[in-house]
Amino acid sequence: MTTSWRKPSVSAGFDAYDDYVEHRLAYLPLTRDLENLYGGDAVVLDYGCGSGKVSRRLLDTRAAGRVVGVDISANMVRLAQSQTPQDAARFHTIDSGHVPYPDHTFDAVVCCFVFINVSAREDLRRIADELARVLKPSGSLFIVDSNPAATGIQFPTFRSGEPGRDYQDGDERKVSLQVPGVGVLELVDRHWSISTYESVLASAGFTIREITTRGADTVKDVGAQEPVDQPPFIQIRAQVNGADAVE
């Protein structure tokens, strides 16, 4: 069964996880892309915001003018509210994936490591539909997720999936996170292929503008250099059909 993010122990453990690799290889490129497209003035929805780690980065780097974070976990939202001092941030607990904002509210939507924590393709479609609803016609959706081609590979701070196992679309996948001072936090997510992202987004009326793998030759982790031969992350940028392409 996919991890329950509503459990306080899961929320606290994930908040304590040092997401250095994600920061360097996924979040920093994301903030640069947002700033390049919208000049730092965008009103951004952080869908599945967790404890606000991405929201804070968007504001700290001036990649966004205002950020609204939403999450199904009240524990995560409380952490985000308590740890995010910026006046330009707002956080809400949501039910059934519904975003409590009118149609066409946001210049951009970021959705980081959310799809891999959704257990059914039908739920992915509902999420994509909701993100299309709240996104402005000229806006962009950015999805950052685990690279399905990197399943089972040990990275400096985490591993998604068991080595040597052949995962099929929708299979449960054990995740191990190295939490400083605590040990290993075991979670369960889902393995989704790139084609699933493509079909789900298309069904919601999105056109994919770009799919990018995010990796590096080496990643410095806790003072050591460790090789990263396979890009651990992907970034998908999409727009609602009919919108003018933003390059």
Side-chain angles (χ1 to χ4, degrees):
M1 174 178 265
T2 305
T3 299
S4 173
W5 292 98
R6 292 183 172 90
K7 290 184 178 179
S9 60
V10 173
S11 301
F14 190 77
D15 183 58
Y17 167 64
D18 183 359
D19 59 355
Y20 175 83
V21 178
E22 289 85 349
H23 172 70
R24 176 175 170 179
L25 300 185
Y27 300 148
L28 283 180
L30 171 64
T31 59
R32 287 195 295 266
D33 288 349
L34 264 169
E35 185 175 13
N36 288 339
L37 285 174
Y38 299 105
D41 297 324
V43 179
V44 179
L45 173 66
D46 183 2
Y47 187 90
C49 64
S51 58
K53 292 182 178 183
V54 175
S55 293
R56 289 190 290 277
R57 287 176 168 104
L58 293 174
L59 294 172
D60 288 344
T61 60
R62 293 183 170 85
R66 288 194 294 126
V67 174
V68 172
V70 299
D71 202 281
I72 62 171
S73 169
N75 297 308
M76 286 291 200
V77 168
R78 282 192 289 268
L79 286 169
Q81 291 169 333
S82 66
Q83 297 177 17
T84 309
Q86 293 95 331
D87 292 336
R90 295 289 183 272
F91 297 98
H92 307 280
T93 305
I94 59 174
D95 293 318
S96 302
H98 174 70
V99 179
Y101 283 82
D103 296 359
H104 313 315
T105 295
F106 298 98
D107 299 303
V109 175
V110 299
C111 188
C112 298
F113 301 103
V114 173
F115 277 40
I116 58 170
N117 285 290
V118 176
S119 59
R121 190 177 281 101
E122 293 74 19
D123 292 330
L124 293 177
R125 293 193 181 100
R126 281 192 285 270
I127 290 171
D129 286 341
E130 183 68 355
L131 300 184
R133 181 186 70 79
V134 298
L135 189 62
K136 289 182 178 179
S138 59
S140 294
L141 166 65
F142 293 87
I143 294 175
V144 173
D145 244 329
S146 300
N147 180 3
T151 297
I153 296 176
Q154 180 67 55
F155 293 103
T157 57
F158 70 91
R159 189 184 73 215
S160 297
E162 300 174 19
R165 177 175 168 182
D166 183 21
Y167 286 84
Q168 303 300 311
D169 211 37
D171 280 354
E172 291 185 352
R173 189 172 58 182
K174 291 183 180 179
V175 178
S176 301
L177 304 181
Q178 301 291 333
V179 180
V182 175
V184 177
L185 175 65
E186 298 285 353
L187 306 173
V188 178
D189 67 14
R190 294 281 172 156
H191 180 85
W192 296 116
S193 65
I194 297 293
S195 62
T196 291
Y197 289 87
E198 292 172 332
S199 64
V200 164
L201 292 176
S203 71
F206 282 101
T207 296
I208 293 177
R209 301 297 184 189
E210 187 177 32
I211 300 178
T212 309
T213 56
R214 297 298 195 193
D217 294 331
T218 60
V219 172
K220 187 176 182 181
D221 181 63
V222 197
Q225 292 286 336
E226 301 188 36
V228 177
D229 297 325
Q230 178 73 40
F233 311 118
I234 58 167
Q235 178 180 293
I236 299 172
R237 180 168 67 88
Q239 289 183 283
V240 177
N241 289 342
D244 293 334
V246 178
E247 302 298 342

